[in-house]
Amino acid sequence: MDVPTPDLVCPDTTWAMGRVSSYGWGVWESRLHALFAVQCRYQLEDESAHLDEMPLMMSEEGFENEESDYHTLPRARIMQRKRGLEWFVCDGWKFLCTSCCGWLINICRRKKELKARTVWLGCPEKCEEKHPRNSIKNQKYNVFTFIPGVLYEQFKFFLNLYFLVISCSQFVPALKIGYLYTYWAPLGFVLAVTMTREAIDEFRRFQRDKEVNSQLYSKLTVRGKVQVKSSDIQVGDLIIVEKNQRIPSDMVFLRTSEKAGSCFIRTDQLDGETDWKLKVAVSCTQRLPALGDLFSISAYVYAQKPQMDIHSFEGTFTREDSDPPIHESLSIENTLWASTIVASGTVIGVVIYTGKETRSVMNTSNPKNKVGLLDLELNRLTKALFLALVALSIVMVTLQGFVGPWYRNLFRFLLLFSYIIPISLRVNLDMGKAVYGWMMMKDENIPGTVVRTSTIPEELGRLVYLLTDKTGTLTQNEMIFKRLHLGTVSYGADTMDEIQSHVRDSYSQMQSQAGGNNTGSTPLRKAQSSAPKVRKSVSSRIHEAVKAIVLCHNVTPVYESRAGVTEETEFAEADQDFSDENRTYQASSPDEVALVQWTESVGLTLVSRDLTSMQLKTPSGQVLSFCILQLFPFTSESKRMGVIVRDESTAEITFYMKGADVAMSPIVQYNDWLEEECGNMAREGLRTLVVAKKALTEEQYQDFEPMQSSSVEYTHSTYTCAHRRLPLCPQSRYTQAKLSMHDRSLKVAAVVESLEREMELLCLTGVEDQLQADVRPTLEMLRNAGIKIWMLTGDKLETATCIAKSSHLVSRTQDIHIFRQVTSRGEAHLELNAFRRKHDCALVISGDSLEVCLKYYEHEFVELACQCPAVVCCRCSPTQKARIVTLLQQHTGRRTCAIGDGGNDVSMIQAADCGIGIEGKEGKQASLAADFSITQFRHIGRLLMVHGRNSYKRSAALGQFVMHRGLIISTMQAVFSSVFYFASVPLYQGFLMVGYATIYTMFPVFSLVLDQDVKPEMAMLYPELYKDLTKGRSLSFKTFLIWVLISIYQGGILMYGALVLFESEFVHVVAISFTALILTELLMVALTVRTWHWLMVVAEFLSLGCYVSSLAFLNEYFGIGRVSFGAFLDVAFITTVTFLWKVSAITVVSCLPLYVLKYLRRKLSPPSYCKLAS
C-alpha cells in the first residue's frame, strides 16, 4: 500500500503509523483503510457542496484547485422537478409510464455486468462466464414483431390514430354516415405503402447481416484447421485470418506469416483513418517453431473488461509451463479489433471479445426511426384541429338542445366534421416526399446522389448545425510535402531541386572520403561534434535534416508480389526487389508517408524496414543500414515520436525526434525563428513538424538501457524487450517502465524525458493535406446560410486545427481558443471560465477534455460552444460524435445534420436529424447507413440550398392547402346543418366526398410540389434565403390561422351564397355549392402558385374537365334525376345562363378579395424572394 500524502494524513493516522512497528502493518491496515475512507468522504462532500454553490464565472483566485477525485462527485446542477398536480399533468404521467416500462424491461432482460476475463488459448470451454454470440444484427424487427412494430410506428402519431378511430366507427350502424371505402381506402393505401417499404428495408438488412455472419474462417484446433462461420466463433478460439479478410471479432495477435513478427491492418471502417496500422504479435507465441505448438503450451490472456475506447487496451499474456513463467504486458499494438481488415500476411489470434462486446459494436448506436420536424408540426396542428372539431360538435349538440340520444348525435357530428382533418393529408405528403427524392436523384448537378430515407427530405431545409468528419470528407487524405525550413533558408515546391543537388553532392563527397581513408563518416561525425562551435554549411544542414526525416518515422516499405509469385516466395522476393515502381509506403499517419516519399524524391530512399533495422539507399545506389535500438511512438499526450538508431558502418548512436512545435520547443536548443515560422506555415494551412536530434555516447545510452555483449545482440534484445516484453537486466529503467501495469505511460515518459534535453534543432517541415474540391466556397456558402459547422474528427489536435484554418472553417480574422487538457472538475471549471471571456472565437477541444466538461458542466459547456462561429472536436470516438449530436438536439432544439464517409461516422449519422454519407475511399458503410448519399462534399451546397429549401416550402404549402381543403368543406357542412335545424345529415355523400379529395382537386393541389419561389441558380447565389427557413415561418400557427380564416370565409360565402342566390331552386343546392367549391379550389391553387410549370396548367384543366364530365355521367350523386329533398331536377338546368353566372358570382366573391390582398402585400411588403425574382 502506498504511503498517503501528508495532505490526507490526520494526527490519528500519524500516531497509527508510529505504532505499526509494535503491532504489525497487517493489524492496522484495515483500520487505516476505514479511517481514510471516512476522512475522504467528508472532504469530498464538502468540496461537492462548495462547487455546487459556486457560480461558473469566477476568478481563478476564488477557486482552490486541489487534486481531489472530482469524478466521484454528483452532478453540479440537479434539475428541480415540478411537484403536485401541475407536474403530473405536464410531465408526471410520462415519467410514471416510462419508469414502469423501464422497470418491466429491466426485469425481463437484465443487462449483464461487463467484467475482465481470463482466456485460455484454444480452450473456449474453460471460460468462466457465458459470452454473447459473435453475430451481427442490424434488423429492427423479427417475424413476430414486424406487423405490431410497424403499426405502432404509424399509429403513435395523432393524425394516423385519428383516421383509424374514424374508420373503425363506420362499422357501427348507428354512426355510419357514408360508404366504408371512403374512409378505409386512403388509410389502407398509406399502411400498405409503409409496410411494403419497411418490409423491403428489413429484408435487405437481413440479407446483409446473413452475408456477414455466414463468412467462413479457419479455426485452429488440436486436430488441425476447421472451417467455422463468423457467428459460431467463441471466446478462446484460435482464428486464422487471411490477407484482405475481415477480422470477425476482437482478438489478441499471437502469430503472423510475416517473418518480422508484425503485420498491417486497415481500420477505415472502425476509426475512419485510411492509413494502415502496424500490429505486433506476442513474442512468446511468434517464436514457437510451428503453428500447432500453440496447443502444446499452457498459456492464457488476461483482458480488461470490454469498453468502448478503440485506442487503448491493457492486458497480460502468461505462459505457465515455462520455468519461470513468462509474463508479457499487452497493449493496443497487440490487438486486432473486429471490422478491421488484414492488409499484409496471415494472422492468428485468440478471440477475447465477441458480438455486442466488440469495440466496433459498442461504438455503434442502434438506428432510430427519423421523423421530420414538418411532420411533428403538422401533428401539432392536427391536434389543434381536433380540438376545434370537438368544440364545433359540442356547439351543434348544444344548439340542438340535447334532445334524444344526444351523445350519439355528438359522435355523428364528429364524423360529419371529420374532414376538418383530411385523411388525404398523409397520402399527399408521402407522395410529395417521393417526388422530392426523385428530383434529388435526377439532378445532373449532383450526380450519384441517392435518397435512402424518403420520409425526411424537408429536414434538409431546416438545418442549423452541420457536424462533419474531417478525413475523407473535408480532405482527400492525400499529403503533399510543401516546405522545408532550416532557420536561415526556406525551400518550397519550386526549389526542391536544390535540396536534391545538395543531398547528391553530400553523399558523393562522403563516399569519396570513405574510399580515401576508410573512415566511413568520420568527417561528418567531427562536423556533428563541433556543431555548437562551428557554423555548418547549408549542404551539411540539408543532409542532416533529410537523413533525420528518413530515419525518424514509423513507415514500412511494402513490396507487392508480382503475378504468378506464390505466397511462399513473396517474402523472399520482397527482401531483394527494391525497385521503385514495386514499392509503396504504409504507416499509421499519412504525414509520415508524405515525408518519406519526399526524401525519396530528393535522393535518399527508405528501401527496407522491420522491427529491428532500416536500410536506406543513397543517390549513388549505396545501401546504408541502421539498427533500431528504441522506438518511442507518437501519443496524444506527448505529441511527438522518437527513435534511437545505430549506424552499422560507424557504430554511432543517434536519438532523432520529431513532433508538434508546442511539444518540441522546450526540448530543442534556444533559437529565435521556430515559433515565428510555425505560425507562418500554420496560416498557410500547412501541418508542421519540428525535427531534432541528439548524438548519444555509449555511456549515455547504457545509462538509459544497459547493454549486452555485442552491439547486434544488444540491438535485437533491447528492441525485442521494449516491444515484445522479454525479460532483461533488472537495471533497465525503460524496460521496467514498459512492463508496468499501473501508470505505464507516465513512467515511460519520465524515463524518456532524461534523453530529451538540449536537442539540436534540424528543421521545420510543412505538409499540406489536400482539401476536397470546392470545400472552401461550400463552407462559406453554408455559413452565409446561417448554418453553424462543427468538425468532429478522430485525428490529432494540431492536424484538426490546420485543416480548420486551411478549409476556412475558421476565418483568418477569427481567433482560436484551444481548450487545454483537463482531467478533473476543478480544471474544467477554470478553463470554462477562461473560455467564457473570449468573444467570437472558434473552439478546439479534445475528446478527453470534452468528456470531463460534459460530466460536470454539460449545460454550461454546450451553451458556450453554441455561441462559437465554429467548433473543432479532435480525438473523438464514434460514440462521442453521436453524443455531441444528441446534446445539440437536446439543448438547442434545432435540427442537426451529420456528414461523414467512414464506418466511424455511422453512429453520428444515425443520431442526427438528417444523415449524409459520402461514398469515398473509406468504403460504403457510411453511405449505406445515411439518409442521403452523395459523392462529393461540395454537393451538399445544392442539396441544402436548392432541394432542401424547395422540399420544405413545397411541403409546407401542400400540407396547409390540403388542410384548407378539408376546413372549407367542413365549414359548408356546419352552415348546411345549421340551416336544417342542426340535423346531423351529410351535405355531400358517397363518391362526391371521395372525388373531391381525389380526381376533382388532387392533381392541381399535388402540382404544388413543382412550385418554386426562386430559380436554383438564385438560391445558390444568395444562401441568405436559406436562413429564413430555420425560423419555421412557412408553416407556423400564424400561417395556419390565416388559412383557417380563409377557409371559414370561403366556406361561408359558398354555402350562404348558394342559399341566397338559389332560394327558389333550393333543391339544387348540392350541385350549385359543389360546383362553386371546385372552381374556388382550382382558383386558390392558381393563387398559391409562385412559378408556373406546364404540368400545373395541365392539372388545372384536367381536373376541370373531369368535373364537367362527372356532372353528365354521375348525375345521381348531385340530386339530378333522382329525389333530392322531395323534388326532381332536369339536366338542362345546369346549362342555363342563370346557373352559370350565379355560380361564377359566388366563386368571384370567395376568391377576388384574396387576390387583391395578395397583390397589395406583394407591393407594400414583398418577401425577400420576390425582390430577387424581380
Side-chain angles (χ1 to χ4, degrees):
M1 178 177 176
D2 296 334
V3 177
T5 58
D7 292 339
L8 294 177
V9 177
C10 65
D12 292 336
T13 58
T14 308
W15 171 83
M17 291 171 66
R19 299 294 298 272
V20 165
S21 57
S22 302
Y23 293 96
W25 180 257
V27 178
W28 287 97
E29 186 172 12
S30 59
R31 298 185 184 181
L32 283 173
H33 270 297
L35 189 60
F36 287 143
V38 171
Q39 183 176 2
C40 290
R41 187 183 68 189
Y42 286 129
Q43 182 179 1
L44 292 176
E45 287 176 355
D46 292 342
E47 289 173 347
S48 175
H50 175 58
L51 281 172
D52 288 341
E53 295 170 359
M54 186 166 47
L56 180 61
M57 186 60 190
M58 59 176 294
S59 63
E60 286 84 345
E61 292 78 7
F63 182 80
E64 296 179 10
N65 187 17
E66 298 178 0
E67 291 299 324
S68 303
D69 188 10
Y70 291 112
H71 296 283
T72 63
L73 297 175
R75 288 188 54 81
R77 293 175 178 242
I78 301 174
M79 301 298 292
Q80 297 294 326
R81 297 189 180 94
K82 302 174 184 177
R83 293 298 176 192
L85 181 62
E86 180 189 359
W87 170 79
F88 183 80
V89 172
C90 296
D91 301 308
W93 66 275
K94 292 183 182 178
F95 174 76
L96 292 175
C97 292
T98 305
S99 301
C100 292
C101 293
W103 179 75
L104 289 173
I105 291 173
N106 289 333
I107 291 295
C108 296
R109 39 185 291 206
R110 291 185 181 275
K111 193 172 183 180
K112 190 181 74 171
E113 182 183 359
L114 301 177
K115 297 179 181 179
R117 61 196 59 185
T118 300
V119 181
W120 291 86
L121 270 58
C123 301
E125 65 278 358
K126 286 188 177 182
C127 290
E128 300 171 356
E129 294 187 3
K130 186 178 179 181
H131 301 294
R133 288 187 70 236
N134 192 49
S135 59
I136 294 176
K137 185 178 181 182
N138 293 312
Q139 297 167 250
K140 293 194 290 184
Y141 311 105
N142 57 37
V143 177
F144 303 103
T145 61
F146 176 74
I147 293 178
V150 174
L151 291 179
Y152 168 75
E153 290 295 331
Q154 288 299 305
F155 293 122
K156 72 179 182 181
F157 292 104
F158 177 80
L159 186 66
N160 294 346
L161 183 61
Y162 170 78
F163 294 155
L164 179 65
V165 173
I166 292 297
S167 300
C168 290
S169 69
Q170 294 305 290
F171 289 111
V172 181
L175 302 177
K176 186 175 181 182
I177 60 172
Y179 298 99
L180 283 176
Y181 68 84
T182 61
Y183 293 93
W184 281 101
L187 185 62
F189 175 76
V190 172
L191 291 178
V193 171
T194 302
M195 296 187 77
T196 302
R197 185 175 61 218
E198 283 291 335
I200 293 173
D201 292 343
E202 191 71 5
F203 183 69
R204 287 174 179 169
R205 284 191 286 266
F206 168 75
Q207 284 185 315
R208 287 199 295 265
D209 292 347
K210 185 178 179 181
E211 181 182 352
V212 174
N213 293 328
S214 299
Q215 288 181 351
L216 294 178
Y217 291 88
S218 296
K219 173 182 172 182
L220 198 62
T221 64
V222 179
R223 297 180 299 276
K225 298 179 183 178
V226 295
Q227 294 289 310
V228 294
K229 291 182 178 179
S230 174
S231 57
D232 294 333
I233 292 175
Q234 297 177 309
V235 172
D237 284 344
L238 298 178
I239 303 298
I240 302 173
V241 186
E242 305 289 341
K243 182 179 178 181
N244 294 325
Q245 196 173 16
R246 185 186 72 91
I247 296 174
S249 58
D250 289 354
M251 304 193 297
V252 168
F253 186 14
L254 298 180
R255 285 179 66 88
T256 176
S257 60
E258 301 277 342
K259 66 175 186 177
S262 62
C263 78
F264 283 103
I265 63 169
R266 298 198 299 268
T267 62
D268 49 2
Q269 296 304 318
L270 183 65
D271 58 13
E273 298 180 10
T274 56
D275 309 294
W276 294 6
K277 305 293 190 299
L278 184 69
K279 297 294 181 178
V280 181
V282 176
S283 61
C284 179
T285 51
Q286 178 67 24
R287 292 198 315 270
L288 294 175
L291 197 60
D293 292 338
L294 288 171
F295 288 96
S296 64
I297 64 173
S298 176
Y300 64 86
V301 170
Y302 180 77
Q304 64 182 166
K305 69 178 183 179
Q307 59 184 24
M308 297 166 64
D309 188 2
I310 61 176
H311 299 295
S312 68
F313 174 76
E314 289 184 3
T316 56
F317 176 88
T318 303
R319 180 176 176 181
E320 289 189 328
D321 57 350
S322 62
D323 190 22
I326 297 176
H327 301 280
E328 297 187 39
S329 63
L330 304 176
S331 65
I332 186 66
E333 67 181 5
N334 305 113
T335 60
L336 303 169
W337 295 146
S339 297
T340 58
I341 308 294
V342 177
S344 64
T346 301
V347 303
I348 298 93
V350 58
V351 177
I352 54 174
Y353 309 124
T354 54
K356 58 186 179 183
E357 292 181 347
T358 60
R359 294 294 205 269
S360 60
V361 174
M362 294 182 75
N363 278 282
T364 303
S365 58
N366 294 323
K368 63 178 183 179
N369 289 314
K370 297 185 180 181
V371 180
L373 181 60
L374 183 95
D375 293 321
L376 297 176
E377 291 171 342
L378 287 172
N379 200 50
R380 286 197 294 268
L381 293 180
T382 54
K383 292 178 183 178
L385 287 174
F386 178 73
L387 293 178
L389 167 64
V390 174
L392 182 60
S393 302
I394 293 175
V395 168
M396 286 293 182
V397 174
T398 304
L399 293 174
Q400 262 187 345
F402 293 98
V403 294
W406 62 268
Y407 51 87
R408 191 178 68 184
N409 291 336
L410 176 63
F411 208 95
R412 283 180 63 86
F413 274 121
L414 287 173
L415 295 173
L416 278 176
F417 299 138
S418 64
Y419 286 97
I420 286 181
I421 307 175
I423 202 166
S424 58
L425 177 61
R426 186 79 268 152
V427 180
N428 278 277
L429 288 177
D430 285 347
M431 291 172 61
K433 294 173 191 288
V435 172
Y436 306 147
W438 181 83
M439 289 178 176
M440 293 176 193
M441 291 190 285
K442 293 298 181 182
D443 191 343
E444 295 179 354
N445 294 294
I446 47 174
T449 301
V450 179
V451 178
R452 303 192 189 278
T453 305
S454 59
T455 57
I456 55 170
E458 302 90 0
E459 291 296 275
L460 294 171
R462 309 289 299 276
L463 302 177
V464 177
Y465 290 96
L466 176 68
L467 300 102
T468 175
D469 180 38
K470 177 188 72 69
T471 308
T473 303
L474 297 179
T475 69
Q476 299 180 25
N477 206 29
E478 293 180 1
M479 308 297 171
I480 298 179
F481 190 93
K482 286 287 187 180
R483 186 78 48 91
L484 178 70
H485 204 291
L486 300 177
T488 57
V489 59
S490 176
Y491 294 93
D494 53 344
T495 54
M496 292 300 175
D497 54 339
E498 296 183 27
I499 297 179
Q500 187 175 3
S501 175
H502 283 301
V503 171
R504 185 172 57 251
D505 295 343
S506 178
Y507 274 102
S508 61
Q509 181 182 0
M510 289 171 55
Q511 193 171 2
S512 62
Q513 290 178 351
N517 53 25
N518 196 25
T519 56
S521 299
T522 304
L524 185 61
R525 189 175 182 181
K526 289 178 181 178
Q528 293 173 5
S529 62
S530 60
K533 299 177 183 179
V534 181
R535 190 179 183 88
K536 293 183 180 180
S537 65
V538 174
S539 180
S540 173
R541 290 163 61 197
I542 290 176
H543 168 257
E544 284 298 323
V546 174
K547 182 180 177 183
I549 293 172
V550 79
L551 286 173
C552 185
H553 53 74
N554 201 16
V555 180
T556 302
V558 177
Y559 295 89
E560 297 296 331
S561 59
R562 288 197 282 265
V565 178
T566 61
E567 186 178 353
E568 287 76 12
T569 62
E570 179 180 348
F571 307 115
E573 180 159 351
D575 287 327
Q576 302 169 1
D577 185 9
F578 291 161
S579 58
D580 294 341
E581 65 276 3
N582 197 41
R583 179 175 55 247
T584 57
Y585 296 109
Q586 293 299 338
S588 59
S589 170
D591 301 67
E592 293 197 319
V593 174
L595 292 173
V596 174
Q597 287 175 337
W598 173 77
T599 61
E600 179 183 357
S601 69
V602 297
L604 195 56
T605 306
L606 175 69
V607 293
S608 177
R609 191 231 179 100
D610 56 29
L611 293 178
T612 58
S613 65
M614 273 189 284
Q615 282 78 40
L616 310 180
K617 187 171 70 173
T618 65
S620 61
Q622 180 186 5
V623 176
L624 307 176
S625 296
F626 294 85
C627 289
I628 301 174
L629 303 182
Q630 298 290 351
L631 182 68
F632 312 114
F634 179 92
T635 64
S636 56
E637 291 79 20
S638 67
K639 295 183 174 60
R640 56 188 180 271
M641 68 88 59
V643 62
I644 300 179
V645 297
R646 182 195 297 273
D647 189 336
E648 290 191 351
S649 60
T650 63
E652 289 180 347
I653 301 176
T654 310
F655 176 32
Y656 292 105
M657 178 163 280
K658 69 179 179 188
D661 57 307
V662 292
M664 296 293 291
S665 295
I667 294 175
V668 299
Q669 296 171 350
Y670 173 77
N671 62 85
D672 57 358
W673 59 272
L674 180 60
E675 183 178 355
E676 180 183 358
E677 290 304 325
C678 282
N680 293 337
M681 288 192 188
R683 279 187 286 275
E684 296 177 28
L686 300 181
R687 301 159 68 146
T688 57
L689 282 174
V690 180
V691 184
K693 77 163 190 175
K694 183 177 184 180
L696 300 179
T697 62
E698 297 288 354
E699 293 77 15
Q700 286 176 315
Y701 186 71
Q702 186 174 3
D703 179 60
F704 175 77
E705 186 76 80
M707 297 201 307
Q708 304 278 322
S709 56
S710 69
S711 62
V712 176
E713 292 175 357
Y714 164 77
T715 300
H716 283 264
S717 62
T718 53
Y719 187 84
T720 304
C721 173
H723 285 264
R724 301 184 189 173
R725 288 87 183 171
L726 288 181
L728 246 183
C729 307
Q731 297 87 359
S732 171
R733 294 186 295 135
Y734 183 67
T735 303
Q736 289 177 355
K738 292 283 282 184
L739 287 170
S740 174
M741 288 299 294
H742 301 286
D743 298 326
R744 184 187 301 174
S745 59
L746 293 176
K747 293 177 181 177
V748 169
V751 175
V752 177
E753 191 178 352
S754 62
L755 295 177
E756 299 172 344
R757 294 172 186 166
E758 290 297 309
M759 298 191 72
E760 178 187 352
L761 176 60
L762 296 179
C763 64
L764 175 68
T765 64
V767 177
E768 181 185 47
D769 187 357
Q770 285 193 310
L771 298 173
Q772 295 275 7
D774 295 332
V775 161
R776 293 190 183 102
T778 301
L779 290 177
E780 184 179 359
M781 178 195 301
L782 296 174
R783 269 201 307 270
N784 293 336
I787 297 175
K788 293 186 177 182
I789 304 165
W790 290 33
M791 185 170 78
L792 312 181
T793 176
D795 218 330
K796 302 186 291 290
L797 185 142
E798 292 77 15
T799 306
T801 306
C802 282
I803 296 301
K805 292 178 180 178
S806 62
S807 65
H808 294 177
L809 175 66
V810 178
S811 63
R812 295 178 181 272
T813 58
Q814 285 175 346
D815 293 330
I816 296 180
H817 177 81
I818 298 180
F819 205 93
R820 70 181 179 88
Q821 199 77 14
V822 296
T823 56
S824 66
R825 185 180 182 185
E827 292 176 355
H829 190 108
L830 293 174
E831 190 62 19
L832 283 171
N833 277 338
F835 176 45
R836 187 186 287 273
R837 299 188 187 98
K838 302 289 184 70
H839 299 285
D840 192 35
C841 70
L843 171 66
V844 179
I845 186 170
S846 66
D848 296 335
S849 300
L850 177 70
E851 200 69 32
V852 175
C853 290
L854 295 181
K855 186 173 183 179
Y856 301 112
Y857 299 108
E858 179 181 295
H859 178 76
E860 291 83 355
F861 174 78
V862 176
E863 181 184 1
L864 290 174
C866 289
Q867 297 172 4
C868 297
V871 177
V872 177
C873 298
C874 56
R875 284 294 174 194
C876 277
S877 67
T879 311
Q880 276 182 323
K881 291 183 178 183
R883 189 182 175 196
I884 293 171
V885 173
T886 307
L887 284 173
L888 284 176
Q889 293 169 337
Q890 293 173 347
H891 285 268
T892 66
R894 300 287 190 168
R895 309 315 276 177
T896 59
C897 175
I899 180 170
D901 68 322
N904 64 319
D905 302 317
V906 169
S907 295
M908 171 178 72
I909 287 172
Q910 291 177 339
D913 298 301
C914 176
I916 301 176
I918 297 180
E919 211 172 291
K921 294 181 179 179
E922 298 185 20
K924 293 186 177 183
Q925 192 169 348
S927 169
L928 292 172
D931 306 306
F932 304 91
S933 172
I934 57 179
T935 55
Q936 297 183 47
F937 180 81
R938 61 175 177 168
H939 290 170
I940 195 176
R942 187 174 180 89
L943 192 66
L944 301 187
M945 300 302 116
V946 177
H947 293 286
R949 185 173 182 276
N950 285 342
S951 298
Y952 169 61
K953 293 185 78 72
R954 289 165 175 172
S955 285
L958 180 62
Q960 293 180 117
F961 202 96
V962 172
M963 285 190 287
H964 155 75
R965 193 172 61 184
L967 278 167
I968 192 173
I969 202 168
S970 297
T971 304
M972 295 175 70
Q973 176 68 54
V975 174
F976 177 79
S977 295
S978 301
V979 171
F980 281 88
Y981 305 103
F982 310 104
S984 55
V985 177
L987 171 61
Y988 307 120
Q989 296 190 18
F991 183 79
L992 284 188
M993 295 305 298
V994 177
Y996 172 67
T998 54
I999 63 169
Y1000 294 154
T1001 61
M1002 184 184 72
F1003 298 117
V1005 172
F1006 189 70
S1007 67
L1008 290 174
V1009 301
L1010 302 173
D1011 189 26
Q1012 60 181 23
D1013 51 1
V1014 294
K1015 294 182 179 179
E1017 297 77 16
M1018 199 68 70
M1020 295 283 287
L1021 189 60
Y1022 296 98
E1024 291 80 7
L1025 291 171
Y1026 186 92
K1027 194 182 298 185
D1028 294 337
L1029 304 186
T1030 59
K1031 301 171 184 176
R1033 291 175 177 170
S1034 297
L1035 178 64
S1036 62
F1037 274 103
K1038 178 183 176 181
T1039 59
F1040 171 68
L1041 185 60
I1042 292 173
W1043 276 106
V1044 170
L1045 294 176
I1046 291 173
S1047 304
I1048 294 174
Y1049 166 75
Q1050 289 185 327
I1053 290 294
L1054 291 175
M1055 201 66 230
Y1056 277 113
L1059 295 174
V1060 170
L1061 293 180
F1062 293 91
E1063 188 174 355
S1064 57
E1065 300 97 2
F1066 188 73
V1067 292
H1068 306 143
V1069 71
V1070 173
I1072 296 164
S1073 60
F1074 199 79
T1075 303
L1077 174 63
I1078 297 300
L1079 292 176
T1080 298
E1081 286 298 291
L1082 296 181
L1083 290 173
M1084 284 301 295
V1085 171
L1087 176 66
T1088 307
V1089 169
R1090 288 161 293 201
T1091 304
W1092 283 90
H1093 190 279
W1094 66 270
L1095 285 175
M1096 294 179 176
V1097 180
V1098 171
E1100 290 270 339
F1101 284 105
L1102 179 63
S1103 295
L1104 185 61
C1106 289
Y1107 177 70
V1108 172
S1109 302
S1110 66
L1111 284 175
F1113 296 106
L1114 301 173
N1115 52 14
E1116 67 271 12
Y1117 289 101
F1118 295 90
I1120 303 172
R1122 71 176 188 133
V1123 176
S1124 179
F1125 303 110
F1128 289 90
L1129 178 68
D1130 196 77
V1131 179
F1133 172 76
I1134 62 173
T1135 60
T1136 60
V1137 176
T1138 304
F1139 174 83
L1140 295 177
W1141 82 259
K1142 289 186 177 181
V1143 168
S1144 301
I1146 296 173
T1147 306
V1148 169
V1149 173
S1150 68
C1151 295
L1152 185 60
L1154 301 178
Y1155 273 84
V1156 173
L1157 289 173
K1158 180 181 180 181
Y1159 175 79
L1160 292 176
R1161 183 169 177 266
R1162 286 265 182 128
K1163 285 293 183 182
L1164 300 177
S1165 179
S1168 54
Y1169 66 84
C1170 291
K1171 301 174 185 176
L1172 295 176
S1174 60

